[in-house]
């Protein structure tokens, strides 16, 4: 089953002095989701935003909010992120010792659960939970910062993730995040990605519509 490609601009690379306008501009330019990177300075070496910013984003867009939690102890904050208006809440397998419980908690709060894997983490770790989630996020950089280079070995993991999803949980969306540009869009789509997260490649250019259209054109060749 091939799903339409979705593009999720990551606001990490947006101009935070005009965050509301930036979100509205990418929405107008054809974004499908808004990706919000939450970092705690513990699980990853950077600190970003909390539920307050998710709640503010909720007020300026009707697009789904794709909230990527790069934090330890996600359980303690899931209720607040759900209340703030998250549509997807994605946690890291490396940061959740009781992943099944965490996924149940996200569902109880009425939010779609996602699970993310760092580049060095085996796909095997999420196989048991795959039927329980809505989104699998394969990281193609080590999380923490925007603007890093895509790690090429992740392509093989992405292909393996596609096969696994098709086999045991075809409802799951396959998302890839980190170093995504117009020039690797084709290979990423060919590997089976349904959702591209892109920060610097979109917000680093003036014309958001043109960049996303070029990404879609390249992806359609994959
Ligand atoms: C990295 C974040 C990404 C980041 C991607 O830790 O999870 O969402 O914003 O940025 P680019 O697209 O610039 O690699
Ligand atoms: Zn992210």
């Amino acid at each position: 089953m091939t799903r339409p490609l979705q593009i999720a601009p990551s606001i990490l690379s947006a101009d935070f002095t005009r965050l509301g306008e930036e979100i509205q501009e990418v929405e107008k330019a054809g974004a499908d989701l808004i990706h919000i990177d939450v970092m705690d300075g513990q699980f990853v070496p950077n600190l970003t935003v909390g539920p307050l910013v998710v709640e503010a984003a909720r007020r300026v867009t009707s697009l789904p909010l794709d909230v990527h939690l790069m934090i330890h102890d996600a359980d303690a904050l899931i209720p607040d992120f759900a209340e703030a208006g998250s549509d997807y809440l994605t946690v890291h397998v490396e940061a959740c010792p009781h992943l099944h419980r965490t996924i149940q908690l996200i569902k109880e709060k009425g939010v779609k659960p996602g699970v993310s894997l760092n580049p060095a983490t085996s796909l095997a770790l999420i196989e048991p939970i795959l039927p329980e989630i809505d989104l699998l996020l394969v990281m193609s950089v080590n999380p923490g910062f925007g603007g890093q280079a895509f790690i090429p070995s992740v392509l093989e993991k992405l292909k393996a993730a596609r096969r696994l999803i098709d086999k045991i949980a075809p409802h799951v969306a396959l998302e890839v995040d980190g170093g995504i540009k117009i020039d690797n869009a084709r290979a990423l789509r060919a590997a089976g990605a349904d959702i591209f997260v892109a920060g610097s490649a979109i917000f680093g250019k003036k014309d958001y519509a043109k960049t996303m259209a070029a990404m879609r054109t390249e992806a359609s060749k994959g």
Side-chain angles (χ1 to χ4, degrees):
M1 180 177 67
T2 315
R3 294 185 190 80
L5 176 71
Q6 295 194 291
I7 298 181
S10 164
I11 63 163
L12 192 60
S13 294
D15 176 355
F16 268 71
T17 63
R18 336 173 5 256
L19 186 59
E21 288 162 51
E22 290 272 72
I23 291 172
Q24 287 170 334
E25 280 171 31
V26 288
E27 176 168 9
K28 251 191 280 157
D32 298 288
L33 305 138
I34 300 296
H35 186 85
I36 303 178
D37 289 303
V38 176
M39 304 184 187
D40 65 354
Q42 300 283 326
F43 176 61
V44 290
N46 197 1
L47 259 180
T48 58
V49 303
L52 186 71
V53 170
V54 174
E55 195 271 327
R58 181 71 294 156
R59 282 187 273 123
V60 296
T61 182
S62 55
L63 291 180
L65 299 179
D66 173 31
V67 180
H68 178 189
L69 298 178
M70 288 160 273
I71 63 174
H72 281 304
D73 201 12
D75 294 15
L77 286 168
I78 283 166
D80 290 349
F81 279 105
E83 182 74 16
S86 307
D87 293 280
Y88 287 97
L89 273 175
T90 297
V91 295
H92 269 260
V93 59
E94 303 87 359
C96 295
H98 308 290
L99 187 57
H100 185 274
R101 178 187 292 153
T102 303
I103 298 304
Q104 299 314 314
L105 176 61
I106 295 171
K107 286 185 182 175
E108 273 166 31
K109 297 294 168 191
V111 180
K112 292 179 182 153
V115 171
S116 182
L117 295 171
N118 280 339
T121 304
S122 167
L123 195 58
L125 285 184
I126 54 83
E127 190 170 338
I129 200 79
L130 200 59
E132 308 272 344
I133 64 178
D134 288 289
L135 182 107
L136 177 62
L137 171 52
V138 173
M139 289 305 299
S140 41
V141 296
N142 289 295
F145 303 94
Q148 302 181 80
F150 180 82
I151 299 171
S153 61
V154 169
L155 264 185
E156 285 310 309
K157 185 154 78 174
L158 205 57
K159 289 181 195 164
R162 175 81 271 158
R163 288 192 295 270
L164 188 64
I165 287 172
D166 289 347
K167 194 167 150 207
I168 67 167
H171 67 282
V172 173
L174 180 57
E175 180 174 60
V176 60
D177 180 6
I180 299 176
K181 315 258 172 252
I182 295 167
D183 18 334
N184 54 19
R186 181 180 182 165
L188 289 167
R189 184 62 169 161
D194 302 308
I195 306 174
F196 290 174
V197 176
S200 51
I202 294 173
F203 288 105
K205 296 268 165 56
K206 273 216 171 81
D207 191 334
Y208 302 156
K210 200 169 146 195
T211 305
M212 284 190 269
M215 253 179 204
R216 286 187 209 277
T217 303
E218 276 307 301
S220 69
K221 300 175 189 163

